[in-house]
Amino acid sequence: ERQITFAGLRWLSSAETAGFSRVPLVPARSIEDELSSSVATDQIRGLSRLRAEAQVPVSLVPRLSQLARSAQPAVAMLAVWNLGRLGPPEAERAFEYAIQVGPFEHARFAAAAYLAENPSPTRTPKLAAMLTASEWPTRWISAQALSRVPSRETAIILLAMLPDPEPTVRAAIVRGVPMENELVMRRLLFVAVNDVSEEVRLTAYRRLAAQGTGEYLSEALRGVRDESARVRVGLLEKIGELAREAQRRFVLVGLSDRDPRARVAAINALKAFPSTTREEIAPLLQDPVPQVRAAAEQLDAFLRERRCSSPSGVTTPDSPCAAHWSGGQNCAARRSPAGGP
């Protein structure tokens, strides 16, 4: 069922259906005739042709409602997608039935997938019913759809879905839940500290580092000491990406991390901060791990170049440019030996 569901999604979101609709027919048949057929391949052809049309005739709602309950995944999913295109009020009852009941999981998945690509403030909150979906892909696509309609209501729904047993679903919720209030930050911090999945914890830490405030932000940045090296590395990379000076002290923690991958991540992150000094990374130039030494050497060279390229820089015996110039010459002379601009 899970494999069939994802195969069906490719039908809905790619050009495959359009290609199928162009298969020559002998003799030519109308879309209505193909939908009325009892043969699944005819139904799929008619539904894919209908999806390529600019509008879905309201007269087809009864037949589409029947096909949306088909045990054939491709048939049901394409039918639900076409019902979604009609919108309220013509097909709303049938589309909502697909969300609430299905009756098969692939129909529920198709309804959520449609809303993920076509967010609706009035229809999307109805995906709260997906809390009871038996297959995790349906809950996963529902979480994505809900996150695309940010509101207090969708935030509450997503938080209610957060205890999901599937890590992929929890990560999608953490990634997309609207930062509506303090409750959201509190729940994300709880997940960051306590979730058993490295991916979920890292996603929560990164989200709070970017959008958290106050004590929730401060506590999240302490994730640079998480028990997982993967989490520590990912958070250090995020802090470097954000390049907020107030967060730089947490990068410095990573310089002494027991895992060389985290030390490399911390070195690379420091490059984004103008206040970084050569003295901070000097011990790592003697690190026993070659990859760490190489990263430190690259940053050291970058800092020397950045200092020497500063228009206000003045060379002194202990300055970064001293190896190249001496006698108190201005660093700008390195760029212009003739003394010009």
Side-chain angles (χ1 to χ4, degrees), residues 163-186:
D164 195 282
E166 173 57 46
T168 305
V169 178
R170 297 199 301 276
I173 294 170
V174 168
R175 192 177 297 113
V177 61
M179 284 285 201
E180 287 292 318
N181 49 43
E182 184 180 353
L183 174 62
V184 176
M185 288 189 285
R186 185 184 306 128

Side-chain angles (χ1 to χ4, degrees), residues 294-331:
E297 289 167 359
Q298 289 177 3
L299 179 56
D300 184 67
F302 172 79
L303 293 174
R304 288 170 63 90
E305 182 65 28
R306 183 165 69 183
R307 177 67 179 86
C308 288
S309 63
S310 172
S312 61
V314 176
T315 302
T316 61
D318 59 347
S319 72
C321 298
H324 301 278
W325 300 94
S326 60
Q329 291 174 304
N330 192 290
C331 285

Side-chain angles (χ1 to χ4, degrees), residues 198 201-202 205-206 221-239 250-251 253-254 256-263 265-266 269:
E198 292 181 344
R201 291 205 309 278
L202 175 57
Y205 277 131
R206 290 170 63 93
L221 293 173
R222 298 182 189 278
V224 294
R225 293 188 174 91
D226 190 274
E227 63 182 23
S228 164
R230 179 190 174 196
V231 172
R232 298 196 301 274
V233 168
L235 181 54
L236 286 166
E237 291 173 344
K238 184 63 177 181
I239 296 174
F250 294 96
V251 179
V253 173
S256 58
D257 196 281
R258 62 185 180 275
D259 193 294
R261 293 170 297 176
R263 297 200 294 278

